[in-house]
Amino acid sequence: MKRILPLILSVFALNAWGQVPVQVQTQSKNYDLSDAYRITFEDGGATQVIHTRSQGEIRVPMSDLKQIHFNDTTVSLMDQIMNLENCEIMKAILSDKVPNLPASFFWAYLNSPSVTKVFIPNDDAFQMIPYKVSAIGEVVSVKSVPGQTFPLKAERYMYDFEKGLKGRVAINGKLTEEEAVKILQRLILNQMVIENQDNAYTVAGSEVEKCDGEYRGAYQKNALNKEWENIPMIHVVQSLSGIEGKTCMVTDACAHESILRTYEVLQEIAPSFLSLMKVPKDLLVGCGYIDNALDPDDIEERLEHFIFFNHQVENLYRFNWCSAKVGYTIFAPSDEAIAEALNNGDVYTWDKIQEEYDAIMINGGSEKVIHEMISKTFAFIKRHICFRNALVEVAPGENVQMVSCNQLSGGVPQTLSVRRESNSDVFEVSASRAKSDPNTIFYVREPWGNIKDNVYSSYEYSVGVVMRMDKAIVDEN
């Protein structure tokens, strides 16, 4: 009883202090409860019940309890958020009021020491969430609907991305609860920033930068590159006391990811390289590069390992990234660089390979030559595609070895030496000394699986970056 009494007195003090971070240590587990607001007892005091907003009621037998620690040096972030005006949406999300969107998922990141900056978007910021890009674009607007079982209403609106003009509600524009949850989960993760002295990026892997007193996410940066109008920049409305040195800010806009896809960016900045990535399936099978004696289903399965883009609907192509949940970088050679590489015999166009194959079929000869041309072309393409995001991985002034998709003769992947200039977004790659044009660096997103429409607001996406280079990467070392 002498050991338990001080603990009980400390527990009752929680109600007096209000919402403060609490750490509970038992014989077998530790609880970090940043949003605990009350502790009660059951079984005649033998069990304590810790009431939290994100994890519900946690029952801890007093016999298992080792220590309770109260951090009374800061005011709870949750307490501050709940007292904010015009932040009803974030209040609902972070206090576990949105079904199937557990607040504990976000508080795990909020409490992480890796997260150094947190944006708390106000309700106005949720009125323009990039959703769909096509001939007629769409955004999603989310509004608070207090008193409802699902306290949020999400609708699609017509939107002109180039002009920044919002139009009428889209036909059948109301999103289902499941669709709204998917959008919000990814969106909130992009308001949590990991930073060091050189760069900053969100938990979802998208870049964030501060410029002239305002913040820009990947969407804002890409929109500036495309010279779109009325771009919603992120401004700080109010600052909050964070946890463990975190900077927490109420903002008037959200940090959004890119709404661009790999295919459309390559089509704009490096069409010749894109044409190399459009692999002709029939040629691979016809010349025996893919064993044409296999069962048709087996042939299709084998082809998936060689196809860079899957055609979906209309002009929609999905980059067939082989490691979907890992970021990627494409160092795309310019048209001039591709022309030089073709002239030097460093790569072959598919038309050239087809022409050589047709000549062999007519005049006779070995298909081995065709297979070597195809292998050389694949190696060339894959050498320009690297695992992980160069904008995140390579800090200004640093030199980093990045792993490419190209397999060398010894069966190990080729690595590229990537250097980033200290005062700009110029990247220099490999011994080829290929350099990027900062105005052609774009964040892109790709879904993990097939999708039926050109929809960008979902959590099932990989984040990548595409940049145009003035030279091709031709060395293998």
Side-chain angles (χ1 to χ4, degrees), residues 376-390:
K376 190 169 188 176
T377 297
F378 273 126
F380 179 89
I381 297 169
K382 292 182 177 181
R383 191 178 300 128
H384 293 82
I385 305 172
C386 289
F387 291 87
R388 309 195 73 83
N389 184 329

Side-chain angles (χ1 to χ4, degrees), residues 96-114:
D96 222 24
K97 299 291 179 59
V98 182
N100 299 315
L101 191 63
S104 57
F105 179 80
F106 302 115
W107 281 102
Y109 290 101
L110 281 166
N111 290 328
S112 169
S114 298

Side-chain angles (χ1 to χ4, degrees), residues 361-381:
M361 291 296 97
I362 295 172
N363 304 318
S366 172
E367 292 182 350
K368 181 180 178 181
V369 174
I370 302 302
H371 293 183
E372 289 175 350
M373 293 174 71
I374 292 174
S375 294
K376 190 169 188 176
T377 297
F378 273 126
F380 179 89
I381 297 169

Side-chain angles (χ1 to χ4, degrees), residues 134-203:
S134 58
I136 302 176
E138 294 181 10
V139 295
V140 165
S141 291
V142 179
K143 298 179 180 178
S144 174
V145 187
Q148 302 293 319
T149 304
F150 192 85
L152 303 175
K153 179 182 179 182
E155 289 185 298
R156 296 167 21 238
Y157 283 80
M158 313 308 293
Y159 191 81
D160 184 332
F161 281 94
E162 291 190 13
K163 299 296 183 183
L165 299 176
K166 185 176 177 181
R168 60 174 174 79
V169 178
I171 298 174
N172 300 319
K174 186 175 180 180
L175 271 64
T176 65
E177 293 180 10
E178 181 181 3
E179 289 171 329
V181 164
K182 286 182 178 180
I183 290 173
L184 291 170
Q185 184 180 71
R186 182 88 178 199
L187 179 66
I188 302 306
L189 286 181
N190 273 291
Q191 311 315 305
M192 302 181 192
V193 180
I194 300 169
E195 63 182 349
N196 53 43
Q197 62 181 0
D198 297 314
N199 55 15
Y201 52 95
T202 72
V203 168

Side-chain angles (χ1 to χ4, degrees), residues 8-68:
I8 294 177
L9 293 175
S10 296
V11 166
F12 283 132
L14 177 60
N15 285 321
W17 290 344
Q19 298 163 337
V20 294
V22 179
Q23 292 81 42
V24 178
Q25 183 180 8
T26 68
Q27 303 293 336
S28 58
K29 188 174 181 180
N30 294 331
Y31 298 88
D32 187 1
L33 309 173
S34 61
D35 59 344
Y37 60 92
R38 186 172 72 253
I39 295 180
T40 57
F41 296 89
E42 293 180 350
D43 303 324
T47 301
Q48 67 169 340
V49 183
I50 306 171
H51 301 258
T52 71
R53 285 191 169 84
S54 62
Q55 302 179 52
E57 297 178 353
I58 297 175
R59 286 170 169 76
V60 180
M62 295 297 286
S63 59
D64 194 31
L65 185 64
K66 292 180 65 178
Q67 174 180 278
I68 299 179

Side-chain angles (χ1 to χ4, degrees), residues 210-228:
K210 187 176 182 180
C211 185
D212 298 329
E214 61 188 17
Y215 291 92
R216 302 169 182 175
Y219 164 73
Q220 284 90 351
K221 290 189 68 175
N222 286 347
L224 285 168
N225 268 0
K226 286 182 167 288
E227 298 183 341
W228 290 350

